[in-house]
Coordinates of all heavy atoms in Angstrom, one line a residue:
I250 N -26.7 7.3 -2.3 CA -28.0 7.3 -1.6 C -28.7 8.6 -1.6 O -29.9 8.7 -1.8 CB -27.7 6.9 -0.1 CG1 -27.2 5.4 -0.1 CG2 -28.9 7.1 0.8 CD1 -26.7 4.9 1.2
E251 N -27.9 9.7 -1.6 CA -28.5 11.1 -1.7 C -29.1 11.3 -3.1 O -30.2 11.8 -3.2 CB -27.5 12.1 -1.4 CG -27.2 12.3 0.1 CD -25.9 13.2 0.3 OE1 -25.3 13.7 -0.7 OE2 -25.5 13.3 1.5
E252 N -28.4 10.8 -4.1 CA -28.9 10.9 -5.5 C -30.3 10.1 -5.6 O -31.2 10.6 -6.2 CB -27.9 10.3 -6.5 CG -26.7 11.2 -6.7 CD -27.0 12.5 -7.4 OE1 -27.7 12.5 -8.4 OE2 -26.6 13.6 -6.8
L253 N -30.3 9.0 -5.0 CA -31.5 8.1 -5.0 C -32.7 8.9 -4.4 O -33.8 8.9 -4.9 CB -31.3 6.8 -4.3 CG -30.7 5.7 -5.2 CD1 -30.2 4.6 -4.3 CD2 -31.7 5.2 -6.2
A254 N -32.4 9.5 -3.2 CA -33.5 10.2 -2.5 C -34.0 11.4 -3.4 O -35.2 11.7 -3.4 CB -32.9 10.7 -1.2
K255 N -33.0 12.1 -4.1 CA -33.4 13.2 -4.9 C -34.3 12.7 -6.0 O -35.3 13.4 -6.4 CB -32.2 13.8 -5.5 CG -31.5 14.9 -4.7 CD -30.4 15.5 -5.4 CE -29.4 16.1 -4.4 NZ -28.1 16.3 -5.1
E256 N -34.0 11.6 -6.6 CA -34.8 11.1 -7.7 C -36.2 10.7 -7.2 O -37.2 11.0 -7.9 CB -34.2 9.8 -8.3 CG -32.9 10.1 -9.1 CD -33.1 11.0 -10.4 OE1 -34.3 11.1 -10.9 OE2 -32.1 11.6 -10.8
E257 N -36.3 10.1 -6.0 CA -37.6 9.8 -5.4 C -38.4 11.1 -5.2 O -39.6 11.1 -5.4 CB -37.5 9.0 -4.2 CG -37.4 7.5 -4.5 CD -36.8 6.6 -3.4 OE1 -37.0 7.0 -2.2 OE2 -36.1 5.6 -3.7
A258 N -37.8 12.1 -4.6 CA -38.5 13.3 -4.3 C -39.0 14.0 -5.6 O -40.1 14.5 -5.7 CB -37.5 14.3 -3.6
L259 N -38.1 13.9 -6.6 CA -38.5 14.5 -7.9 C -39.7 13.8 -8.5 O -40.6 14.5 -8.9 CB -37.3 14.3 -8.9 CG -37.5 14.7 -10.4 CD1 -37.7 16.2 -10.5 CD2 -36.4 14.3 -11.3
R260 N -39.8 12.4 -8.4 CA -41.0 11.7 -8.9 C -42.2 12.0 -8.1 O -43.3 12.1 -8.6 CB -40.7 10.2 -8.9 CG -39.8 9.8 -10.1 CD -39.9 8.3 -10.4 NE -39.6 7.5 -9.3 CZ -38.4 7.2 -9.0 NH1 -37.3 7.6 -9.7 NH2 -38.1 6.4 -7.9
R261 N -42.1 12.2 -6.8 CA -43.2 12.6 -6.0 C -43.8 13.9 -6.4 O -45.0 14.1 -6.6 CB -42.9 12.6 -4.5 CG -43.0 11.3 -3.7 CD -43.1 11.5 -2.2 NE -41.9 12.2 -1.7 CZ -40.7 11.6 -1.4 NH1 -40.6 10.3 -1.6 NH2 -39.7 12.3 -1.0
R262 N -42.9 14.8 -6.7 CA -43.3 16.2 -7.2 C -44.0 16.0 -8.6 O -45.0 16.6 -8.8 CB -42.1 17.1 -7.3 CG -41.8 17.8 -6.0 CD -41.0 19.1 -6.3 NE -39.8 18.9 -7.2 CZ -38.6 18.4 -6.8 NH1 -38.4 18.1 -5.6 NH2 -37.7 18.2 -7.7
Q263 N -43.4 15.2 -9.4 CA -44.0 15.0 -10.8 C -45.4 14.4 -10.7 O -46.3 14.8 -11.4 CB -43.0 14.1 -11.6 CG -41.8 14.8 -12.0 CD -40.7 13.9 -12.5 OE1 -40.7 12.7 -12.2 NE2 -39.8 14.4 -13.3
E264 N -45.5 13.4 -9.8 CA -46.8 12.8 -9.6 C -47.9 13.8 -9.1 O -49.0 13.8 -9.6 CB -46.7 11.6 -8.7 CG -46.2 10.3 -9.4 CD -45.6 9.3 -8.5 OE1 -46.0 9.3 -7.3 OE2 -44.8 8.5 -9.0
L265 N -47.5 14.6 -8.2 CA -48.4 15.7 -7.7 C -48.8 16.6 -8.8 O -50.0 17.0 -8.9 CB -47.8 16.5 -6.5 CG -47.7 15.7 -5.2 CD1 -46.9 16.5 -4.1 CD2 -49.0 15.3 -4.6
D266 N -47.8 17.0 -9.6 CA -48.0 17.9 -10.7 C -49.0 17.2 -11.7 O -49.9 17.9 -12.2 CB -46.7 18.3 -11.5 CG -45.9 19.2 -10.6 OD1 -46.4 19.8 -9.6 OD2 -44.7 19.5 -11.0
V267 N -48.8 15.9 -12.0 CA -49.7 15.2 -12.9 C -51.2 15.3 -12.3 O -52.1 15.6 -13.1 CB -49.3 13.7 -13.1 CG1 -50.4 12.9 -13.7 CG2 -48.0 13.7 -13.9
K268 N -51.3 15.0 -11.0 CA -52.6 15.1 -10.4 C -53.2 16.5 -10.5 O -54.4 16.6 -10.8 CB -52.5 14.7 -8.9 CG -52.8 13.2 -8.7 CD -52.8 12.9 -7.2 CE -52.6 11.4 -7.0 NZ -51.7 11.0 -6.0
D269 N -52.4 17.5 -10.3 CA -52.9 18.9 -10.4 C -53.5 19.1 -11.9 O -54.6 19.6 -12.0 CB -51.8 19.9 -10.2 CG -51.5 20.1 -8.8 OD1 -52.3 19.6 -7.9 OD2 -50.5 20.8 -8.4
H270 N -52.7 18.7 -12.8 CA -53.1 18.8 -14.2 C -54.4 18.0 -14.5 O -55.3 18.5 -15.2 CB -52.0 18.4 -15.2 CG -50.9 19.4 -15.3 ND1 -51.1 20.7 -15.7 CD2 -49.6 19.3 -15.0 CE1 -49.9 21.4 -15.7 NE2 -49.0 20.5 -15.2
E303 N -48.7 18.8 -20.9 CA -47.9 18.9 -19.7 C -47.8 17.5 -19.0 O -46.7 17.1 -18.5 CB -48.5 19.9 -18.7 CG -48.2 21.3 -19.1 CD -46.7 21.7 -19.1 OE1 -46.1 21.6 -18.0 OE2 -46.2 21.9 -20.2
I304 N -49.0 16.8 -18.9 CA -49.0 15.5 -18.3 C -48.1 14.5 -19.0 O -47.3 13.8 -18.4 CB -50.4 14.9 -18.2 CG1 -51.2 15.7 -17.2 CG2 -50.5 13.4 -17.9 CD1 -52.7 15.4 -17.1
H306 N -45.4 15.2 -20.8 CA -44.0 15.6 -20.5 C -43.6 15.1 -19.1 O -42.5 14.5 -19.0 CB -43.9 17.1 -20.6 CG -43.8 17.7 -22.0 ND1 -44.0 19.0 -22.2 CD2 -43.6 17.1 -23.2 CE1 -44.0 19.2 -23.5 NE2 -43.7 18.0 -24.1
L307 N -44.5 15.3 -18.2 CA -44.2 14.8 -16.8 C -44.0 13.3 -16.7 O -43.2 12.8 -16.0 CB -45.3 15.3 -15.9 CG -45.3 16.8 -15.5 CD1 -46.6 17.2 -14.9 CD2 -44.2 17.0 -14.5
E308 N -44.9 12.6 -17.5 CA -44.8 11.1 -17.5 C -43.5 10.7 -18.1 O -42.8 9.7 -17.6 CB -46.0 10.5 -18.1 CG -47.2 10.5 -17.2 CD -48.5 10.1 -17.8 OE1 -48.6 10.0 -19.0 OE2 -49.5 9.9 -17.0
D309 N -43.1 11.3 -19.2 CA -41.8 11.0 -19.8 C -40.6 11.2 -18.8 O -39.7 10.4 -18.7 CB -41.5 11.9 -21.1 CG -42.4 11.4 -22.3 OD1 -42.9 10.3 -22.2 OD2 -42.5 12.2 -23.2
A310 N -40.7 12.4 -18.2 CA -39.7 12.8 -17.2 C -39.6 11.8 -16.1 O -38.5 11.4 -15.6 CB -39.9 14.2 -16.7
E311 N -40.8 11.3 -15.7 CA -40.9 10.3 -14.6 C -40.2 9.0 -15.0 O -39.5 8.4 -14.2 CB -42.4 10.0 -14.3 CG -42.6 9.8 -12.8 CD -44.1 9.6 -12.5 OE1 -44.9 10.3 -13.1 OE2 -44.4 8.7 -11.7
L312 N -40.4 8.6 -16.3 CA -39.8 7.4 -16.8 C -38.3 7.5 -16.8 O -37.5 6.6 -16.4 CB -40.3 7.1 -18.2 CG -41.6 6.3 -18.3 CD1 -42.0 6.1 -19.8 CD2 -41.5 4.9 -17.6
E313 N -37.8 8.7 -17.2 CA -36.4 8.9 -17.2 C -35.8 8.8 -15.8 O -34.7 8.3 -15.6 CB -36.1 10.3 -17.8 CG -36.1 10.3 -19.3 CD -36.2 11.8 -19.9 OE1 -35.9 12.7 -19.2 OE2 -36.6 11.9 -21.1
S314 N -36.5 9.4 -14.8 CA -36.1 9.4 -13.4 C -36.0 7.9 -12.9 O -35.1 7.6 -12.2 CB -37.0 10.2 -12.6 OG -36.8 9.9 -11.2
M315 N -37.0 7.1 -13.4 CA -37.0 5.7 -12.9 C -35.8 4.9 -13.5 O -35.2 4.1 -12.8 CB -38.3 5.0 -13.3 CG -39.4 5.3 -12.3 SD -41.0 5.0 -13.0 CE -41.1 3.2 -12.6
E316 N -35.4 5.3 -14.7 CA -34.2 4.7 -15.3 C -33.0 5.1 -14.5 O -32.1 4.2 -14.3 CB -34.1 5.1 -16.8 CG -34.8 4.2 -17.7 CD -34.9 4.8 -19.2 OE1 -34.0 5.5 -19.5 OE2 -35.9 4.5 -19.8
R317 N -32.9 6.4 -14.2 CA -31.7 6.8 -13.4 C -31.7 6.1 -12.0 O -30.7 5.7 -11.6 CB -31.8 8.3 -13.2 CG -31.4 9.1 -14.4 CD -31.1 10.6 -14.1 NE -32.3 11.3 -13.5 CZ -33.2 11.9 -14.3 NH1 -33.1 11.9 -15.6 NH2 -34.2 12.5 -13.7
T318 N -32.9 5.9 -11.4 CA -33.0 5.2 -10.2 C -32.4 3.8 -10.3 O -31.7 3.3 -9.4 CB -34.4 5.2 -9.7 OG1 -34.7 6.6 -9.3 CG2 -34.6 4.3 -8.4
E319 N -32.8 3.1 -11.4 CA -32.4 1.8 -11.6 C -30.9 1.7 -11.6 O -30.2 0.8 -11.0 CB -32.9 1.3 -12.9 CG -33.3 -0.2 -13.0 CD -34.1 -0.5 -14.2 OE1 -35.3 -0.2 -14.3 OE2 -33.5 -1.1 -15.1
L321 N -28.8 3.9 -10.4 CA -28.2 4.3 -9.1 C -28.3 3.2 -8.1 O -27.4 3.0 -7.3 CB -29.0 5.5 -8.6 CG -28.6 6.9 -9.2 CD1 -29.7 7.9 -8.8 CD2 -27.2 7.3 -8.8

Side-chain angles (χ1 to χ4, degrees):
I250 290 168
E251 280 167 7
E252 288 293 312
L253 273 166
K255 272 184 205 161
E256 291 296 338
E257 273 162 33
L259 175 67
R260 283 202 301 279
R261 271 198 302 277
R262 275 202 310 278
Q263 287 165 337
E264 278 158 23
L265 286 175
D266 287 350
V267 167
K268 266 184 198 138
D269 280 352
H270 286 298
E303 284 298 294
I304 288 173
H306 284 161
L307 283 164
E308 280 171 350
D309 284 348
E311 215 178 320
L312 277 177
E313 280 163 20
S314 167
M315 278 163 83
E316 272 168 29
R317 286 196 296 274
T318 291
E319 215 169 286
L321 284 167

